[in-house]
Amino acid sequence: MRFPAAVAWVALGGAIGTYARVAVTEAFAPALAVTLAVNVLGAFLLGALVTGFEGGGNRDGGRRRQRARLLLGTGFCGGFTTYSLIALQAATLARSGDGSAALAYCVVTLVLGAVATALGVVLAAWARNRARDRAPGAA
Amino acid sequence: MSALVDDVVTALWVALGGGVGAAARYALDRAVSARWRGRFPLGTFLVNVSGSLALGLFTGLLVDGSLPLSLLGVGALGGYTTFSTASYDTVRLARERHFGTALVYGLGTMFVTVAAAALGLWLAGLWPAGGWSTVG
C-alpha cells in the first residue's frame, strides 16, 4: 500500500478511536480508573487484532488485512488508548506529593495492560485455529 | 440546546485532532523504522515521550477544558501517543524471549514519559502568568 493511502486509513481510525475514548471518558467522571479501563481495553483489542490479521492468504486478502490492521489497529486502538494522559496523571499525582499513588497507577497500568494484551493474543490465536480446523477442506 | 451543539462541535474538533495525531504517529514511526535497525521499538518510544512532554506543556499553558486544550491535548496528543502499541510490543518482545529489552522498554517508556510530562508542566510554570494561559 502506498504511504498516502496508509496514512489516510490510520487517520480515519485514529479520529474514530479518539472520539470513542472521549465519549467513554465523558460518560463517566474523568478519573484514573476510566483512563486505566480504556487503555487496558485498547491493549486487549490490539493484541487480538494483530494476532487475528496474521497469517498467509492470497494477495487481495493480504491487502485487505493490511488495510484493516492500519484502520483498526494503528488507527483506532492507537487513538483510543493514550500514553500522554497516563504520564500527565502520574506526573500530576507526584507533583502534588502523592508519589506512592503515582507509582501504583503506573505499575497497575503496565501489568494490567500486558495481561490484557497477552489475553487478546491467546484468545485470537485460539479462535483462528478453531475456525481453520472447522473450515471445509481443512487438513 | 446550545450546550449540546457546543459539545458536538468540540467532539468533532477532538476527533479531527485525533486523526491528525494518529497520522503523525504513523509517519514518524515509519521514518524511524526506515533508519533504526535495533530491537528496541524506538519510533513508538519517541512518539510517547515527545507527546507526554507536549501534553505537560499544553496543560500548563492552556485553560482547563478550553477548546485549544481539547483539540491539541485530548485530541491530537491523545491520537498521537498510544498505550496499546507500547503494551503489544512489550508482550511481543517477551514472547520472542528478549526479556531484557521487554523490561527496559516497558518500564523505560513509563518512567521517561512521566518525567517528560513533569518537565512539560514545570517548563509551563516558568511562563509569565497571564501569557498564554488566558487563551481560552
Side-chain angles (χ1 to χ4, degrees):
Chain A
M1 190 182 302
R2 287 177 179 278
F3 182 71
V7 169
W9 286 111
V10 170
L12 178 64
I16 298 169
T18 304
Y19 180 83
R21 169 165 48 81
V22 172
V24 170
T25 314
E26 302 266 297
F28 302 94
L32 297 182
V34 180
T35 307
L36 178 69
V38 160
N39 282 322
V40 169
L41 178 63
F44 170 81
L45 280 177
L46 186 66
L49 282 170
V50 173
T51 308
F53 292 140
E54 274 168 1
N58 59 32
R59 205 164 146 219
D60 282 349
R63 199 173 296 157
R64 258 204 307 274
R65 247 199 318 269
Q66 191 189 4
R67 198 162 55 204
R69 193 182 151 159
L70 287 170
L71 177 73
L72 301 173
T74 313
F76 181 86
C77 289
F80 189 62
T81 63
T82 170
Y83 220 117
S84 50
L85 185 57
I86 301 171
L88 181 73
Q89 288 168 332
T92 306
L93 274 175
R95 273 165 65 100
S96 67
D98 210 344
S100 54
L103 187 65
Y105 179 58
C106 292
V107 170
V108 168
T109 295
L110 282 178
V111 171
L112 288 186
V115 169
T117 302
L119 195 66
V121 168
V122 169
L123 278 179
W126 176 78
R128 202 181 53 197
N129 291 339
R130 203 176 132 99
R132 194 183 52 205
D133 291 347
R134 289 192 164 191
Chain B
M1 187 63 198
S2 106
L4 181 67
V5 170
D6 278 357
D7 283 349
V8 170
V9 170
T10 303
L12 290 175
W13 279 114
V14 166
L16 180 73
V20 172
R25 160 164 48 82
Y26 180 69
L28 197 142
D29 188 46
R30 282 272 295 253
V32 171
S33 301
R35 290 162 182 81
W36 172 251
R37 287 279 160 261
R39 202 175 279 148
F40 186 88
L42 185 65
T44 306
F45 177 80
L46 291 177
V47 160
N48 282 330
V49 171
S50 58
S52 298
L53 175 71
L55 186 63
L57 264 176
F58 292 169
T59 304
L61 293 174
L62 302 171
V63 172
D64 191 29
S66 66
L67 185 59
L69 188 57
S70 294
L71 175 65
L72 295 175
V74 183
L77 293 177
Y80 178 63
T81 63
T82 174
F83 176 72
S84 52
T85 302
S87 186
Y88 182 82
D89 283 337
T90 307
V91 170
R92 179 181 54 79
L93 284 164
R95 287 179 77 210
E96 292 167 355
R97 310 192 73 76
H98 302 306
F99 297 114
T101 312
L103 205 64
V104 168
Y105 177 62
L107 294 178
T109 298
M110 186 57 86
F111 183 79
V112 178
T113 54
V114 174
L119 177 66
L121 287 170
W122 180 76
L123 286 172
L126 299 179
W127 210 269
W132 280 16
S133 62
T134 52
V135 175

